[in-house]
Amino acid sequence: MSDAPARRLRQLGDVAVGNLRHVGEKRVAALNSLGIENVFDLLTLYPRRYIDRTKRVDLSDLNVGDEAAVFAQVQKVSSRRTRQGKVMVEVTVSDDDDANLKVVFFNQAWRERQLTVGVQALFFGKVTDYRAQRQMTNPVVDVIVGATGEERDASRVGRVVAIYPASGKAGLTSWEMGGFVEESLRRAGPLLDPVPDEVRRDLDLVDRTASFWGIHLPAEFSDIAPARRRLVFDEFLRLQLLLALRRRRLEESSSGVAHPINVEDLDVAPGALSTPDSTLVRRFLAGHRFTLTSAQRRVLGEIAADMSSPLPMHRLLQGDVGSGKTVVALTALLASIDGGRQGALMAPTEVLAEQHLVSIRRDLENLSIHDRSVLGGERPLSIQLLTGRLRAKERLNVLAGLANGSVDIVVGTHALLTDDVTFRSLGAVVIDEQHRFGVEQRAALREKGKERSREPIDPDLLVMTATPIPRTAAMVVFGDLDLSVLDELPGGRLAIKTVWARGDDEVAACWARVREEVARGRRAYVICPLIEGSDRVQATSAVQERDRLVEHELAGLRVGLLHGQMKGAEKEEVMARFRIGSLDVLVATVVIEVGVDVPEASVIVIEDAWRFGLAQLHQLRGRGGRDTTQSYCYLLGDPPSEDGEKRLEALVTSNDGFALAEIDLDLRGEGTLLGARQRGRSDLRLASLRRDEELLLAAQSVATTMVQGDLLSPDSDMVDELRLFVDDNEADYLFKS
Ligand code: ADP
Ligand code: MG
């Protein structure tokens, strides 16, 4: 075996589990049902934990709750059926000091034959308390001395033993899994290492063979950590390599445009000189209501660099609620129009699209554009809405304008993605609240630029999110995007005061505050509890809550209602009334979660706040604090869980979306975050975004070097390995030379 050529991981993927000893048809089926088909799958089935068999404990020292290995002799064995019909084998064992322990096995009838009186064995497991007696249930057993005194399997004594995720359903014990893994390892022999020696040296990584042995069959506890470290690095490296390759292919195959951007225009402040011949970007910023924050200026610099390069921009803009993403987006769209092209802004809901339309029209109302096809050679900028709600005739008008270029900016929902939408020349696309849109929708809108416009170009793409994602998670989830961050709130804003109103007095104070603020000419939102069930159920409960509030806490105030079952026109009307102040309070379901911007709103009350996720709560709170006066957020309700309490506490203590995102990652684990990613082999199995940030960064830098330095020939070991993680189509696309 030692002379065998070192194997590639992918070769292990070619060996089906049925080739292992003791794996017959039944076990093949059981393993397959767990998604384990080949030797590679087995080797990447990592232990859940380890038991140190070297730590033997005397029975008399054993405490409930201990996880221990005890060496003892069988005194008594019996078996019976439980009321549920399970076979239960009960064994009493004792050690030299005559201390006893009860050991119980369920559905392992054969234990009665294995553990006959006189047998000496090691029992590993957790000690529980059953009817005031210490007991081990379904421990791992190593028979050391048989009933007749013969020694058995002494090789396994004193080792660190890996415990695998056993599967009762598939009828496989951890012990069996361990056996399959061990055989796989032995038969695989030495493994080829695709990571260059100097990279391993620099990062202090053990080689691949050592990593698999160390994680599955560690000789000592201290072997495990370095093994894990290397395997985690490999997971990140493969992921980052695939992302970097995808990106490179996209760049190679793309036909972007270099938009004409004058960087000096970005430094223009309100009141600066501009002439009708200045760029739209310059005229916009010179005539705007406010000066850019330095974060906005910095991010626009990053965007301008992307847009003026012929490679299409592919950038994620993260900025907390209220950080001022809109002006950044508008500037990008105007840069596209300066180059004689169009821009599109896609929002996740109709309410938001309509609201964007209103504010964009307001912000751009004084801008005109040179157009030789109209009388006078100049016309106002045309900004139109395209949602599913448009009447047929309006829709046709907008479609015609997009196709002939007389519409400059279109604001819409996913209605922008339907087939009959074509552009004359789509130069830039902004997607607001990215997390609501899937990767496919992102791609579809981009395709519009190429397939559905008279000029086949890849538009520059800016996706924006107000849901801050920890940097590590962004690298994994949105790894194919460049990252910009707006980490500064526009000046003069006061942090929102957040109160978790628990007692009756505090709740009363909350409603008093609402009345007080309204009396001062301010407005309030009340967010209804999240109700399980249909939109209809949710809507009904919102109606009831509004009626209740009008009768009691908010009697005498003008209270409006907004929920998902209302027609578009109704929603619009309510929003409009709230915006102009003919409503004092808006009772709403989470439909208002994102983007709604009413600067006069200074109180937001969130009922049963614990029902919402942390990110969502932070979003909701961000509806307030939109001008320079003090705003308040009240969290109502008593969380039934510790998690709920922690979320509300976090919200009270922090106003920083990024800090909250880190806390959220801690509370929820990364599973939920990564949920957006496609499942499958490429999933991170060992890696933790929280614990392994250093390795992720290292892997990213190694991946970038490898891809940019063209160090990945199609027949390299590394590329061969990556093929395990992509389907054939994608492999052809990514790895063709
Ligand atoms: P976001 O979309 O990132 O939540 P918006 O773009 O809606 O934030 O901006 C929030 C509010 O801050 C708006 O009322 C906007 O006009 C205002 N604003 C944005 N940038 C600035 C700035 N540089 N100075 C002053 N006010 C600003
Ligand atoms: Mg916004």
Side-chain angles (χ1 to χ4, degrees), residues 269-583:
L273 201 64
S274 71
T275 71
D277 285 329
S278 300
T279 59
L280 285 164
V281 168
R282 185 178 185 96
R283 281 184 279 151
F284 171 57
L285 294 176
H288 204 49
R289 284 172 283 131
F290 47 70
T291 309
L292 297 178
T293 63
S294 59
Q296 283 168 328
R297 171 64 187 82
R298 186 192 68 236
V299 165
L300 271 177
E302 291 162 3
I303 289 171
D306 286 359
M307 286 186 75
S308 48
S309 117
L311 290 178
M313 169 164 73
H314 206 203
R315 184 169 287 277
L316 176 69
L317 172 58
Q318 294 199 60
D320 214 338
V321 183
S323 59
K325 294 184 289 298
T326 316
V327 65
V328 172
L330 282 183
T331 309
L333 293 176
L334 290 175
S336 167
I337 300 169
D338 271 328
R341 298 189 175 78
Q342 296 157 293
L345 177 83
M346 186 157 86
T349 65
E350 294 185 335
V351 171
L352 277 176
E354 281 153 18
Q355 188 180 298
H356 270 309
L357 182 83
V358 171
S359 74
I360 293 175
R361 280 191 170 156
R362 181 194 64 200
D363 283 348
L364 304 184
E365 75 189 336
N366 295 321
L367 292 180
S368 59
I369 174 173
H370 301 286
D371 183 345
R372 259 178 279 151
S373 70
V374 300
L375 210 62
E378 193 169 307
R379 60 168 174 80
L381 216 54
S382 168
I383 303 142
Q384 303 298 332
L385 183 72
L386 190 69
T387 67
R389 293 225 288 264
L390 286 196
R391 277 187 279 274
K393 183 146 172 271
E394 291 172 302
R395 181 180 169 83
L396 283 179
N397 275 337
V398 176
L399 292 183
L402 288 173
N404 70 24
S406 63
V407 171
D408 304 297
I409 295 180
V410 64
V411 180
T413 54
H414 45 266
L416 287 173
L417 301 177
T418 48
D419 275 348
D420 55 353
V421 181
T422 60
F423 291 84
R424 191 180 66 78
S425 173
L426 181 58
V429 171
V430 175
I431 303 183
D432 199 12
E433 302 302 342
Q434 152 71 15
H435 64 293
R436 299 273 179 121
F437 292 105
V439 175
E440 305 78 36
Q441 283 171 311
R442 196 161 87 204
L445 194 55
R446 249 180 136 214
E447 277 299 295
K448 286 273 170 203
K450 210 163 195 162
E451 312 265 307
R452 305 224 147 245
S453 95
R454 296 231 301 267
E455 190 191 17
I457 51 171
D458 282 304
D460 283 275
L461 179 68
L462 180 69
V463 298
M464 309 198 293
T465 177
T467 308
I469 304 162
R471 183 169 66 135
T472 50
M475 280 171 63
V476 171
V477 182
F478 298 119
D480 55 338
L481 297 172
D482 289 310
L483 216 56
S484 285
V485 179
L486 278 180
D487 48 8
E488 180 185 349
L489 288 185
R493 301 271 185 84
L494 298 171
I496 301 172
K497 282 203 175 120
T498 304
V499 179
W500 177 5
R502 307 193 79 165
D504 289 347
D505 288 352
E506 288 171 39
V507 173
C510 154
W511 298 115
R513 172 78 69 189
V514 171
R515 307 184 68 97
E516 206 175 288
E517 288 291 302
V518 167
R520 293 179 47 227
R522 321 290 298 162
R523 272 155 247 163
Y525 295 103
V526 176
I527 307 301
C528 295
L530 207 55
I531 307 276
E532 300 265 337
S534 61
D535 284 358
R536 181 178 294 276
V537 176
Q538 174 82 62
T540 310
S541 110
V543 172
Q544 285 167 355
E545 182 60 7
R546 196 266 317 257
D547 292 350
R548 195 188 65 77
L549 287 169
V550 171
E551 287 277 306
H552 299 97
E553 287 90 343
L554 302 182
L557 303 189
R558 297 168 301 171
V559 181
L561 178 68
L562 192 66
H563 63 67
Q565 291 272 294
M566 286 162 57
K567 293 219 180 56
E570 285 176 273
K571 283 190 212 162
E572 218 169 308
E573 197 204 314
V574 172
M575 274 314 300
R577 291 178 57 204
F578 186 63
R579 205 173 288 128
I580 61 172
S582 62
L583 288 174

